[in-house]
Amino acid sequence: DELGTINSDLLIRNLKNFNQKIQHVDQDAKQYVEFIIDEIASEQPRIFLLETITRSFRQAFVNSPYELETRELAASIWGYLEMLKFST
């Protein structure tokens, strides 16, 4: 199922688009997004760090207009991390 396959390029593109939308959100929240983008783009993403930061990223947007989108992005990140775990 091609739609179920999450690749890093698509994930990074979605995160960058989201990052542009959240211009007026506090800096901590933006830094989570930027960290996740940098880490996924790295040659050897550190899964344990991404797991921790993804939880914080999701929490940062609870009760915000971006909560639903954040939840969807977090689900994509989790799927990507599961894929990474099985490929190593």
Side-chain angles (χ1 to χ4, degrees):
D1 169 33
E2 283 181 34
L3 292 176
T5 304
I6 299 150
N7 69 41
S8 59
D9 293 342
L10 179 61
L11 193 50
I12 289 169
R13 195 164 47 239
N14 290 343
L15 285 162
K16 283 183 175 176
N17 289 341
F18 180 72
N19 208 22
Q20 288 176 340
K21 282 185 204 173
I22 59 169
Q23 293 303 327
H24 307 296
V25 175
D26 73 73
Q27 273 317 107
D28 288 351
K30 282 184 68 78
Q31 285 181 6
Y32 290 135
V33 179
E34 288 161 11
F35 177 87
I36 293 168
I37 290 169
D38 291 345
E39 197 60 33
I40 290 171
S42 76
E43 207 166 296
Q44 296 227 285
R46 293 167 290 185
I47 294 170
F48 71 99
L49 278 178
L50 280 166
E51 288 173 338
T52 303
I53 297 297
T54 299
R55 280 187 206 98
S56 301
F57 161 66
R58 229 187 108 199
Q59 283 303 114
F61 291 96
V62 168
N63 297 324
S64 83
Y66 304 105
E67 183 174 7
L68 182 62
E69 193 170 356
T70 305
R71 208 179 292 169
E72 290 169 358
L73 282 167
S76 294
I77 296 165
W78 289 120
Y80 177 72
L81 293 176
E82 286 304 307
M83 206 174 65
L84 279 182
K85 283 181 190 176
F86 288 112
S87 68
T88 52

